[in-house]
Amino acid sequence: MTSITLRSRDEKLVKVDVEIAKRIATIRDLLYCPKSEDLEQQIISIPNVDGYVLRKIVAWVNFHKDDAPLTDEDKIIEHLNTKGLCEWDKQFLNVDKVSFFEIIAACEYLQINLLRNTCAKYIAEKITGKSLEEIRQQYGLDDADALRIRGK
């Protein structure tokens, strides 16, 4: 099994199997060694993601490695609306607010659309049936932010 090393913003090193890494679009685009034995020596800097979040994202991609890759946005949304969130994903996303929003930002940077939409579905499930005041308090938002989140 060939692996590469990722270096996070806070200089943490995360070893990841190449096949798992290739499922992350930004990392796949950064792999430039033609020979697999050269990959072992490669360290890819991920400057926009800290070590904790990078390890979590690698764990998420590893857990979902056998899932069919979904690249089309409509297929991702259809998949999440049909299948919903698995219990593992709910536990994975049950983190503090700062970490949660850092995961979303990392998804954008790393181009992991399924995880980004999984985060959106998780939030949607959390706010469904809640009043604006409850949303505002839960997420520390002012009323304008809460209205925007609810789509009003």
Side-chain angles (χ1 to χ4, degrees), residues 123 127 135 139 141 144-152:
I123 287 290
I127 67 172
I135 294 169
Y139 294 100
L141 307 170
D145 290 332
L147 281 170
R148 193 174 62 251
I149 288 172
R150 291 216 38 215
K152 298 197 178 197

Side-chain angles (χ1 to χ4, degrees), residues 11-65:
E11 300 294 318
K12 302 290 187 220
L13 298 178
V14 179
K15 283 193 99 52
V16 60
D17 179 85
V18 170
E19 294 309 310
I20 299 300
K22 286 179 180 177
R23 294 182 66 92
I24 301 172
T26 300
I27 296 172
R28 180 181 56 243
D29 294 345
L30 293 172
L31 291 173
Y32 53 85
C33 292
K35 299 178 186 171
S36 63
E37 58 269 12
D38 293 338
L39 288 172
E40 293 281 347
Q41 306 305 317
Q42 190 170 340
I43 296 177
I44 297 176
S45 289
I46 309 296
N48 295 6
V49 182
D50 74 23
Y52 170 76
V53 171
L54 186 58
R55 282 189 299 277
K56 282 201 62 82
I57 286 177
V58 167
W60 186 89
V61 173
N62 189 52
F63 181 82
H64 289 281
K65 69 180 180 268

Side-chain angles (χ1 to χ4, degrees), residues 3 30 36 42 45 74 93 98 112-113 120 135 146:
S3 63
L30 293 172
S36 63
Q42 190 170 340
S45 289
D74 291 334
L93 293 171
V98 171
I112 308 173
N113 296 339
I135 294 169

Side-chain angles (χ1 to χ4, degrees), residues 36-102:
S36 63
E37 58 269 12
D38 293 338
L39 288 172
E40 293 281 347
Q41 306 305 317
Q42 190 170 340
I43 296 177
I44 297 176
S45 289
I46 309 296
N48 295 6
V49 182
D50 74 23
Y52 170 76
V53 171
L54 186 58
R55 282 189 299 277
K56 282 201 62 82
I57 286 177
V58 167
W60 186 89
V61 173
N62 189 52
F63 181 82
H64 289 281
K65 69 180 180 268
D66 295 326
D67 296 356
L70 298 172
T71 54
D72 179 84
E73 195 72 22
D74 291 334
K75 288 182 181 177
I76 291 171
I77 293 168
E78 178 184 337
H79 169 79
L80 288 172
N81 286 337
T82 304
K83 302 270 186 192
L85 298 179
C86 69
E87 194 57 40
W88 192 92
D89 284 344
K90 291 176 186 177
Q91 291 300 314
F92 171 85
L93 293 171
N94 188 21
V95 294
D96 62 272
K97 289 179 229 172
V98 171
S99 296
F100 183 81
F101 289 111
E102 285 183 2

